[in-house]
Each structure stands twice: as C-alpha cells, then as structure tokens.
Amino acid sequence: PSSPPIGLGVCQGPCLMLPMLLEGGSSLTIHVLNTLTGQPATGLATHLSQLQGPGLQWMELMKSSTNVDGHCPLFLAPGQVKAGTYKLHVDTGAYWQQLGYTSFYPYVEVVFTVTEQTRKLHIPLLISPFSYTTYKGS
C-alpha cells in the first residue's frame, strides 16, 4: 500500500480536531447530521479528492470517518487548501444500512471550488435516507 503524500494523512476511528494543527495552516472540516433522528451521523466513511494534472483526474488526498459528534476534520498541512476543485465523497448507503434503512442515495459527493488559498473551510452535511443538504459553513 502506498503512503499518503507528505502533509496528508488518514484519520481512522474517531477524528479529533487539535488546535495546534490549525495554527498557521489551512484546514477542511465537515459536520454530518442525521435529520431523521436529529443526531450526529457517526462512523460515516469520507474521502477527499482534488482535480489534478493535465488530464484533470481526481486524485484521492485522504480518507477519514465521522466521530460521535458527526465531525470529521480532514487534516491538511499548512497551506494545503489551495485554489482548485475538490470532491468530498461520503458513503451514506452503508451508514443507513447499518441503521436498518434503505437509502435512495448510496453516497453523496460534494464538489466545490476554492478560488483562493484559505485558512479554514467547513462543510456541513444534513442527511436522511431520501435527501441531503449542504452549504458552505463558517
């Protein structure tokens, strides 16, 4: 298995946001809420990719999963969130299946464009077996 590029990582199990990782650097976090129960969505697998290269292919940057609060900070090294197009893939089908529901959406992909280097990005995601909503958070 190959290692993630320097500065990128894989967060397995509960993800914790450490303030020192945010000092002087960029970060991308997500927060997923189950709107059926009104509770955080725990254990959702997430994948972050960036559109790169001359052929514009998706390059996976990291994998992670949501913690008991539905948060999952995707840690990027200082200056890593740069201008470009990113894709956040969230495996909602497996999540709903483990709760005993059939989901209309087997996964949710949020594709977003960063127009300038930024210090912090936050993407909230509200999910149910038959709908989802997202927006640019603060």
Side-chain angles (χ1 to χ4, degrees):
S2 62
S3 300
I6 294 174
L8 302 178
V10 177
C11 177
Q12 304 213 351
C15 299
L16 302 172
M17 184 180 298
L18 303 175
M20 77 178 197
L21 291 175
L22 299 176
E23 296 281 329
S26 300
S27 70
L28 170 63
T29 58
I30 66 170
H31 186 203
V32 186
L33 294 174
N34 174 334
T35 60
L36 192 64
T37 64
Q39 299 295 313
T42 302
L44 268 167
T46 61
H47 308 264
L48 178 66
S49 301
Q50 184 180 20
L51 201 55
Q52 296 179 352
L56 294 179
Q57 299 289 327
W58 289 110
M59 168 82 140
E60 187 172 84
L61 300 177
M62 65 184 316
K63 298 177 187 179
S64 193
S65 62
T66 56
N67 64 17
V68 296
D69 294 323
H71 289 95
C72 191
L74 301 172
F75 296 119
L76 301 175
Q80 196 68 40
V81 181
K82 296 183 178 179
T85 301
Y86 294 84
K87 176 172 63 175
L88 180 63
H89 176 100
V90 182
D91 294 326
T92 53
Y95 170 79
W96 290 114
Q97 186 175 20
Q98 77 181 17
L99 294 177
Y101 295 96
T102 300
S103 176
F104 184 69
Y105 300 102
Y107 59 87
V108 171
E109 289 187 332
V110 179
V111 178
F112 56 97
T113 301
V114 176
T115 56
E116 59 186 41
Q117 186 168 337
T118 184
R119 183 160 163 72
K120 182 179 178 188
L121 290 173
H122 181 66
I123 300 175
L125 179 62
L126 310 176
I127 62 170
S128 83
F130 302 104
S131 68
Y132 66 90
T133 302
T134 188
Y135 57 95
K136 181 181 179 188
S138 56

